[in-house]
Amino acid sequence: MFEKHISLAQSLISSNSDISEGKDTDAAHMLGAMVTLVPYLSKKARKKVFSDAYQLLSPCFTPLTRHVLRLLATLLGHLKAETVESEVESLVSSVVAYLPYNEKKPDDTIVAALHLMKSCLDKLVGCSKLWVEVLPTAFEAVSGYLILGRKCSDDVAKVVQDCIDSHIDHSVFVTNESQLSECDAEDLSDQAAMKSICLTINSRLHTCAYPPDSILTVVLVLFLKLGESSFVFMKDILLTLAQFAMKMDKESQLKSVQECIGAAVVAMGPDKVLSLVPIAFDEDRLTCSNSWLLPILDKYTYGASLQLFLEHIVPLAKSVQNASDRVKKGRKRKDLQSWTDQLWNLLPSFCRYPVDVHHSFGSLSKLLVEILKCDECLYKSAVKALQQLVDGTRRLSSSSQNVEIYMELSALFSSKPISFKCPRLERCSKKQACKDLKVLASHSANLLCTFADYFLESSPEKRAHLKVALRCLGQLSGSTNICELFVSLVKRFDLEDTQLESDSQECKTGEVDRKDEESTDTTDELNNRRSLLLDLISTFAEVAGEDLLDKLFGFIKSCLLNSSMPCHSKALLALSIIMKEHDEYSMAHLDEILLLLHGIKPALDKTVLESQLLCYQHLLVHMIKVDEENTSRKAFLILNELIVALKSKKESRKLAYDVLLAVSANLRSSESNSADSNLQRLFTMVMGYLSTPSPHIVSGAIAALSLLIYSDANFCMEVPNLIQSVLVLLQHKAIEVTKAALGFVKVLVTSLQPEKLLNLQADIMSGILPLSSCTKHHFKWKVVLIVEILIRKCGFDAINLVTPDKYKDFVKSVEEGRKGNHNLVDGAESEPKEHEQHDPKRRKRVDSNAETGQEGTSSRRPPSKSSSAGQKQAKDSRFKKGAGKGNPHNAAKNIQGKASGDTGDRTNFKSKSKWQPGKRGDKSPGNNKKTRGGAFSKTQNSGIRAPGHSPSFKKRKRTA
């Protein structure tokens, strides 16, 4: 049957029969059926069908062309190359013959034929170098489609890119034309094929008013694939692209051209590009040729030569700068200064993985010093260059796999090329990078002193940038050189009376600096010097050794013990960095550090409080991870401070919440296997404060637990007795404790998934329902809100099942309120409303209590029962949105109503990043002592014992 119809198809194709005659219908059906049958045919039958089918492909389009291409592609996927090698070679010739542009050929058939050609080349890869003969001819045939700007142009470009990536090997090409005569015949054929392809591309580019993205994408891939060899084959293409770059104005069109030229910079190197497209300055005309190339060099220069920058770019930049200084006219001077800045800004680009660090860094270091001393406008380029050089060299020395570097390069191109070559980076081996690091280290000591001097004389804005350079130099030069520099600066600043040894000085809070007796101007100058040295300590603390740490810590301690010094904030910041980077050293000096921190009084300075809490944060993390009995007892001293801060004014409370969140996140992200146990230890320590006799502290501890479960609600299920211990406190005599416990429950039910709540709903309902009859302090309103959330998440039937009989009517009324009947809610809030209408003082007191209880309430009041339906709807909206404002217990805002039994989650609440906990204080009517503005109250602290050693704690725990 196949042979009968194949002969008919061959006669139709040879006679070029028109589709309208209907003679090809049977043949088309037969070809379509064979596509389905191919997987079930024997090897012999497939080969027979393939031999007959490829002869049906004509150079002209016929009604059967689509069917033939589809059948051949299917057969090719099921045949082995060695069995049909000669037939595949013949097929490639037929496919290439069909590719030349013709208006009568549908675009989809051209793309299908091109895919078939690629499949043929892939099938024969390793068997022959057929691509040398086929690819240049095929590329010339389809190159016309690349500039049409139609949909098929992108499809054709994609197939051509795949062919280039699969079959062109850059390693077989020579790197310069003088070596062509030394190659054998096979290599010459490869190069001839590549020259033919590049010649075709260049000729097509010349026919365009501006090149479309389809052909530019092919050019970009070819640049990156050939690497340095592209200088031999693609120099004419680069010159053509340069002509486009100079005359194109539209940003959208220019971007693709700039990416192609950038690919040439990556592949050839900036030296080769500048040899073809030179940047020169005409001093007579005051013009800079090819200045458009400067931004491209800045973005795409990788693996360049430092010597090229020193010998070519630096003289050019100085020449333009001198001309700019002589010119008085505004416009011309502005252009000259712009060129100068662009030329100097190339310095960091040439420091991205340079290939000649060991030869050229000595000269570069002199240039960096010259820039710092002579031109204040260029310090940013110098700092960025040094950082780029040090970080890049260290990255190369740490691993022989440069995957990250190539990902960085790939991100520069919007087309995201599959693979490309950057031979300069390939030559940067790990061994060579280690040698380069030694060269950098040999010059680092001198540069460190120079940058430090410039840092001390600079403005605060410049110091922020120079600290980056100093940190890089500190990593290279080592702790010994930094120690010598620091001691010399202390002597130079006449601060030798400041103790530098941490172990020879006792913490005496009454110590007075002898400089205090001098004039005010002298004292201010000394404090400024101390402040500068503290900035340096913050910069060098990360890489400091033990000897240097002793001196740095001694200096910090001296600054903190002098109560008259205005640099406590910087001293604490430096201390926090030491504690963050050197946990063993911090634990060894734990007692001294705690005495220092407890002696600080940050009441008048927010920055001091912030730095102090940062120190507490790092210390607490280290102490929890150590998990020793002695250390754990001292950790409670830090928790004391944090919990007292939670009950202080707004700023202190917010900072304390941030510290707790940071500690929790650090423990959770710990790489150790004990991360969960460390986090559970934090919960347990905070729970210890639930047994203290002070309601003020108990409510603060509950607020801390609310914050912790909000950040990780599921983890609270793994902490033994956590939820039960808080639920017991719902019956506490102190109002602020009850308020805080209700807030905890609301955060709990808001944060947990419904399946987690099913095991807790009975305990929660038993704990909160006794408060449903208390209309004071909005307790009933808060209970209604919690029950409503439970019903929405777990369903009314599940909640009603665990509700005691005496409260079933109440729960039923809540459910009816969710469906539109708000009688219960009106009753729940009518009493507070009546009191507030007749007693403004009481209203003021209730609002105050709402703040002190860590539980905000809506300022709006519910409408009366006589309100209209619209008012009731508005009230219902407020009832749902008023889920607490401004603290961790009220984190669940804007809860949307759902049908009974529907599951709920936290997707309707504010995100954690936007939630600001603790916007209201915690101050009960019976405990109105104010915490001193932002400071940690010693009177409150003195009454707090380590919870783990409190008899009442044990009793409370048994009760829970």
Side-chain angles (χ1 to χ4, degrees), residues 285-352:
R285 297 182 179 180
L286 298 179
T287 57
C288 186
S289 60
N290 296 320
S291 59
W292 57 266
L293 185 59
L294 292 174
I296 299 176
L297 291 174
D298 184 18
K299 183 177 180 180
Y300 294 96
T301 297
Y302 280 77
S305 167
L306 291 174
Q307 199 64 28
L308 173 64
F309 182 83
L310 295 171
E311 294 181 354
H312 182 73
I313 304 297
V314 171
L316 185 61
K318 290 182 177 180
S319 178
V320 179
Q321 179 65 61
N322 293 334
S324 176
D325 295 338
R326 296 193 304 266
V327 172
K328 303 299 181 182
K329 295 181 180 179
R331 178 62 182 274
K332 180 56 70 175
R333 180 182 176 85
K334 184 177 180 181
D335 290 341
L336 291 171
Q337 191 58 51
S338 175
W339 295 331
T340 303
D341 294 341
Q342 287 181 327
L343 287 167
W344 281 115
N345 286 338
L346 291 178
L347 176 57
S349 304
F350 276 81
C351 288
R352 291 193 202 112

Side-chain angles (χ1 to χ4, degrees), residues 841-860:
K841 292 184 178 180
R842 176 177 175 82
R843 176 176 180 175
K844 183 176 182 180
R845 188 165 61 251
V846 169
D847 291 340
S848 176
N849 290 337
E851 292 182 0
T852 59
Q854 297 289 329
E855 179 67 27
T857 60
S858 175
S859 62
R860 301 178 181 178

Side-chain angles (χ1 to χ4, degrees), residues 413-478:
F413 304 102
S414 57
S415 59
K416 297 296 183 290
I418 300 174
S419 64
F420 52 85
K421 302 297 178 183
C422 186
R424 291 165 178 76
L425 294 180
E426 293 177 354
R427 289 196 292 267
C428 294
S429 64
K430 181 177 180 180
K431 183 178 180 181
Q432 183 60 48
C434 292
K435 291 181 179 180
D436 292 343
L437 271 181
K438 292 180 180 179
V439 173
L440 295 175
S442 65
H443 293 83
S444 62
N446 292 332
L447 285 176
L448 184 67
C449 295
T450 303
F451 273 74
D453 289 341
Y454 191 68
F455 171 84
L456 298 172
E457 298 171 359
S458 299
S459 63
E461 179 186 359
K462 294 179 182 178
R463 288 180 201 142
H465 294 277
L466 292 173
K467 286 178 72 172
V468 176
L470 288 170
R471 185 175 292 109
C472 293
L473 292 171
Q475 293 171 346
L476 293 172
S477 58

Side-chain angles (χ1 to χ4, degrees), residues 790-801:
L790 286 171
I791 292 175
R792 182 165 52 253
K793 285 194 169 187
C794 303
F796 173 74
D797 293 337
I799 298 301
N800 190 54
L801 186 65

